[in-house]
Amino acid sequence: MTEGTISPWVPEQDLFRLAVLSKLIEECCELSGRAARCISHGLEQIDPDKNRTNFELLAEEVADVIACMTMLESRLQLAPDDQRIERKFEGYKLWHTLIPGALVISEETAEAAAREHDREEAAQMGEASPWSDFGPQDTDAAEWRGGRIIAMQAALRAAALRGFR
């Protein structure tokens, strides 16, 4: 279609696609609502209805969105552009440098923090760490964790829990 051409509006007709897309909207709205709650009430505050911190509830909503996005990628054969993701991530790191007092961490720092976090969790539960033999180039371990993007999200989450040390 050429630029400036008006196309007819035809809503999605496939019920499966509608279901997947509507679930994505629902989960993203829940995440945005919880993020707004964290801003207005603080991450450490207890939600009176759930008796848990906003941080814990935010983590749950993030997990729900990641699960929904993974389902969307799988069921619709949607392949996110890894180069765009990388550019966006680099842009976020640059943006964080513009915020006074913000810390920017490297992927290596995030991965190391995630490995340490998982080792400590596994030790507390008397299990072997899933990261025990994981190296930065080990794609099998990344696939085991649900793919490179999800592994990085877990690593960044663990680094955030540790205060980006």
Side-chain angles (χ1 to χ4, degrees):
M1 185 167 287
T2 60
E3 188 175 337
T5 303
I6 298 175
S7 65
W9 181 70
V10 180
E12 179 59 55
Q13 299 296 308
D14 184 286
L15 293 178
F16 183 78
R17 288 179 178 178
L18 282 170
V20 171
L21 292 169
S22 68
K23 184 53 99 173
L24 177 64
I25 293 166
E26 175 188 339
E27 296 298 348
C28 287
C29 287
E30 290 175 7
L31 176 59
S32 68
R34 183 53 57 184
R37 181 84 175 207
C38 290
I39 290 170
S40 63
H41 295 279
L43 285 168
E44 293 80 23
Q45 295 302 311
I46 303 289
D47 182 299
D49 296 331
K50 308 269 184 180
N51 201 28
R52 297 176 50 217
T53 66
N54 285 323
F55 183 83
E56 293 169 321
L57 296 168
L58 180 68
E60 281 186 1
E61 296 303 337
V62 167
D64 292 353
V65 169
I66 291 170
C68 191
M69 288 172 22
T70 303
M71 179 62 68
L72 183 84
E73 291 174 22
S74 169
R75 297 300 178 121
L76 298 183
Q77 284 79 48
L78 177 77
D81 182 350
D82 285 339
Q83 290 178 343
R84 179 179 171 91
I85 293 168
E86 196 62 38
R87 283 192 312 270
K88 201 70 165 172
F89 186 74
E90 290 302 316
Y92 289 145
K93 288 194 310 189
L94 175 61
W95 178 64
H96 283 186
T97 65
L98 302 175
I99 302 168
L103 296 175
V104 178
I105 62 169
S106 67
E107 288 184 30
E108 294 80 19
T109 302
E111 288 171 359
R115 287 192 298 274
E116 182 181 339
H117 172 75
D118 285 347
R119 281 189 195 106
E120 288 174 3
E121 263 188 3
Q124 289 173 357
M125 298 170 75
E127 300 173 355
S129 170
W131 292 87
S132 57
D133 297 321
F134 182 70
Q137 309 306 316
D138 189 348
T139 56
D140 290 339
E143 287 171 8
W144 180 88
R145 295 282 287 171
R148 184 176 66 79
I149 302 304
I150 293 174
M152 180 51 97
Q153 289 166 334
L156 290 171
R157 180 185 64 79
L161 288 172
R162 295 209 166 284
F164 296 112
R165 288 182 284 207

